[in-house]
Amino acid sequence: TREADILVVAIGRPRFVTADMVRPGAVVIDVGVNRDPGTGKLCGDVDFAEVEPVVAAITPVPGGIGTVTTSVTMAHTVAAAEAALAARTGRR
């Protein structure tokens, strides 16, 4: 995670990713939606308060990435992977 320019987190554990786990200046997309065990409030898989000062951009939870955004992000990820594979193998 410390080497990623773009970090997409979907681990299913509240506030699992901390500032020491991200590269300064990275973009963090927090897909996780959890309930904080202490407060019962919604929170992400990333400790937003700790990570936000370190990164270039981060999605909030709640209010960040939604189901449509998730679908579009995954479609673009698959398209990019297919293009990379085609370029490496010489196929189209």
Side-chain angles (χ1 to χ4, degrees):
T1 60
R2 291 264 319 151
E3 296 179 15
D5 292 326
I6 301 171
L7 180 62
V8 180
V9 184
I11 194 168
R13 301 189 88 185
R15 296 188 177 93
F16 182 83
V17 175
T18 56
D20 63 321
M21 298 169 74
V22 298
R23 184 183 66 73
V27 173
V28 178
I29 300 171
D30 190 349
V31 183
V33 178
N34 308 285
R35 291 264 175 211
D36 182 286
T39 65
K41 292 183 178 182
L42 286 178
C43 66
D45 294 342
V46 177
D47 187 333
F48 186 91
E50 185 179 313
V51 172
E52 192 267 336
V54 176
V55 298
I58 184 171
T59 58
V61 175
I65 191 163
T67 55
V68 172
T69 307
T70 301
S71 299
V72 171
T73 301
M74 290 310 299
H76 287 194
T77 301
V78 169
E82 289 173 341
L85 181 61
R88 188 170 32 188
T89 62
R91 296 185 196 166
R92 288 199 167 230

